[in-house]
Every structure is written in structure tokens, then in C-alpha cells.
Amino acid sequence: MRILIDTDCGVDDAQAIMMALRQPGATVEAITTVTGNAHVKHVNRNVLTVLDVMGADVPVFPGADQPLVPGYWEAEARVHGEDGLGGYKNRPATARQLEAEPAAAALVRLASEAPGQYTLVALGPLTNVALACRLDSLFPDKIRQLVFMGGTISALGNTRNVTAEFNAYCDPEAAEIVLDAFAQATMLSWETTLKHPFTWEQYDALAATDTPAGRFFRDTTITTVDYLRQFRQVPGYLLPDPLAMAITLRPELVRESAMHYARVELQGRATRGQTVIDYMGLLEREPNVSIVTGLDTAGVYALYQQMLA
Ligand code: RIB
Ligand code: CA
């Protein structure tokens, strides 16, 4: 499996990238970065840090530093810290360099060089992917599969527009462009994330892994976890991007999914960024997203054990 990862590398993105880097039979051939959890200048540094920790050599292409439409984005420092990696302190100086080619141009070039070969896993706002669709209208046809973490499927969001999930909320225009351009995409929503956490006991076991990857996992998560564990309504350790990566690497982990037509609200005073799912087929549009609603969390835990070993 030849993988391209587009990321706003925050803490959970880092885990998704680590999972792919340690998956036999999968090669991460490029990583593109985008502003989301943190500004792209932090995201760039965070991706290089993950590659340092994992000892992996993957080209990193810097991407959009703001959404398509300015004025709405704000970093998610409460969850990911100002730097986007939970305030991770032990950063050795990196010898790695970013590529000069911008992310969207790299996505278009790579897809054109190997049409039908790449699986694109989008873990942040879809700004780069939307730009790629506008640079090359055939880009979606050249991508074997698009899997993205984003959106809501029952209006249960995690932003101030309470029906909108963060990635779609940051750049709704980009999400609308991408959902319109790709005949089919696989969607891992916020509600599906809430339904499939690790237990705190599972988190504790993983965080005790005494390896470089295990210590990195603990060091980048402990602050947020210590904060979140105090709230009863937090069901456990949430895995938004890692779930999207897990079902990409191991499609057999999907237990329930269905095809529906989806688009994005762009104008709503209270709902801008909501992904609107036409469950009843009222719009008479071809379904464009495979909405994953059930998956095998035990299989995801095994992927974590593998990636932290
Ligand atoms: O809503 C969760 C998503 O927003 C995840 O991708 C997380 O990394 C943030 O980007
Ligand atoms: Ca992300």
C-alpha cells in the first residue's frame, strides 16, 4: 500500500503517522502539512520530530498556512498545546529538512506520476486536498482511495459551531470542494471517534511502553490526558486520526459502514462547517462518502502495540 498523508500534526496525527510507518506492507511515500491544530510552521516541525523519533525518512512538503477563506481558523491549543505536540520538551535538533515544493503541487505531481496507486489519508483541514483538486481536475481520479478524518454524522461536533467537527470547521469550503470532487471518500467522523476510545487502562498500558516511541507517546499525551480524565463525560482516550489510519491500513477492522451523499454547510450562523448527510436520499444525489460507524477497537489497540514496540 503506497500512502500519502496530509496532516495538521497534532498529537493524534502523530500517532496515525507512527502507525503507518510501522505497518508492514505499507510505505509512507510523502507527508504534506497544513494549518489546523496548530499553525503549519509548528506542524512542519512536529512531523520532522515524529520522523526523528521513528527513524524514518519521508519527504515532507509544507502546505497551506491558512484555510481557503480567512477569518475563521484558530489553533486547538487546549488539546494539542501551543506547539501542537502537547508541549513536547525533549526535542533534539533535527537534521531533517522540508521539501521546497508546496504540498498541493506535490500531491498533484505524485498522483500524476503514479495514477491509481496512492491511498491519500487526510488528517486535518482539507485545504491542500482542495487546492490539488483545483490545480488538476483529474486529481481525484488519480487517487486510488481517499480516507479522511473529519465531519459529523449526527450533528454532534467538537467546536463552537456545535454541529461541526474541527477539521471541517477550520476549512468548510475545502471540505465542500473535496466531497464534490471525489466520487467516493471514506469518512471517519467525530461521532465514530467518540464511540471507539481506548479505555484509560489501555492508555496506561500503552503509555508504560519503555521504548523511544512509547516514551514519545506518553510525553506528548500525558498533559492532555491528566486534564481530560477528570471529566466523566470523556469516554476514554480518543483516537480520531489513528482510527482513520487504522481502517486504511487494515480495512477488515471496519465492522459497519454505509454509503450516503454528504455536503458541507458554508453559510449557517451556528452550523458553518457541519457535514450534512442525506440519509434519506432526499437530494437524489449519488452517494459520495462511505461513512464508517463501527470498527474493531481491539484491532486498533494491536496496531498501537506494534507501533510503540
Ligand atoms: O476533530 C478531530 C480532528 O481535529 C483530528 O484530526 C485532530 O487532529 C484535529 O485535527
Ligand atoms: Ca489532525
Side-chain angles (χ1 to χ4, degrees):
M1 183 181 286
R2 302 178 67 177
I3 294 177
L4 306 174
I5 301 175
D6 189 70
T7 177
D8 63 337
C9 196
V11 173
D12 63 315
D13 304 65
Q15 294 161 30
I17 295 167
M18 294 162 73
M19 185 187 291
L21 291 172
R22 286 281 171 82
Q23 179 64 21
T27 54
V28 179
E29 297 197 19
I31 298 175
T32 52
T33 62
V34 67
T35 282
N37 287 316
H39 187 278
V40 71
K41 64 179 185 290
H42 293 304
V43 172
N44 291 335
R45 183 73 181 84
N46 296 343
V47 171
L48 297 180
T49 296
V50 171
L51 296 178
D52 285 339
V53 168
M54 303 301 279
D57 292 319
V58 178
V60 180
F61 299 90
D65 65 353
Q66 62 174 312
L68 296 181
V69 173
Y72 295 94
W73 170 75
E74 54 191 22
E76 185 48 87
R78 290 168 305 162
V79 175
H80 299 272
E82 290 303 326
D83 64 357
L85 266 190
Y88 180 56
K89 292 279 177 293
N90 337 14
R91 285 191 207 238
T94 183
R96 297 174 198 277
Q97 301 284 323
L98 298 172
E99 302 296 320
E101 187 177 20
L107 289 171
V108 166
R109 173 179 58 78
L110 289 163
S112 297
E113 288 171 355
Q117 297 293 311
Y118 286 113
T119 295
L120 173 58
V121 186
L123 304 174
L126 289 166
T127 315
N128 293 331
V129 183
L131 290 169
C133 291
R134 288 294 180 263
L135 283 173
D136 175 3
S137 59
L138 297 177
F139 175 69
D141 301 334
K142 297 172 183 174
I143 291 292
R144 180 174 173 277
Q145 181 188 18
L146 170 65
V147 181
F148 71 99
M149 191 283 142
T152 51
I153 54 177
S154 58
L156 177 57
N158 58 6
T159 69
R160 295 181 60 75
N161 285 3
V162 296
T163 59
E165 173 279 329
F166 181 79
N167 289 333
Y169 170 80
C170 279
D171 199 337
E173 282 74 16
E176 172 82 340
I177 287 168
V178 171
L179 290 181
D180 179 62
F182 277 79
Q184 181 174 337
T186 300
M187 177 177 177
L188 197 291
S189 68
W190 182 245
E191 292 93 332
T192 302
T193 300
L194 290 172
K195 268 179 57 184
H196 299 87
F198 286 155
T199 65
W200 292 119
E201 293 70 29
Q202 285 177 315
Y203 168 81
D204 289 336
L206 293 172
T209 309
D210 192 18
T211 61
R215 290 189 290 273
F216 176 77
F217 171 70
R218 181 189 178 283
D219 291 350
T220 53
T221 57
I222 192 72
T223 307
T224 307
V225 163
D226 283 349
Y227 170 70
L228 290 175
R229 281 176 101 145
Q230 65 188 305
F231 301 110
R232 267 181 313 98
Q233 66 269 37
V234 177
Y237 186 68
L238 299 179
L239 308 157
D241 295 340
L243 293 182
M245 186 59 76
I247 62 171
T248 302
L249 299 170
R250 303 274 308 282
E252 69 278 12
L253 295 180
V254 173
R255 292 284 182 270
E256 182 186 60
S257 66
M259 289 295 300
H260 293 290
Y261 173 69
R263 61 174 309 177
V264 184
E265 174 56 57
L266 304 178
Q267 312 299 331
R269 280 187 312 117
T271 59
R272 173 174 157 80
Q274 177 178 349
T275 38
V276 178
I277 316 293
D278 182 12
Y279 289 108
M280 303 295 287
L282 300 176
L283 301 177
E284 298 178 60
R285 296 290 302 267
E286 278 302 305
N288 57 349
V289 287
S290 172
I291 294 177
V292 175
T293 47
L295 57 95
D296 171 10
T297 314
V300 180
Y301 186 76
L303 285 170
Y304 264 74
Q305 289 177 310
Q306 173 180 293
M307 85 186 197
L308 298 182

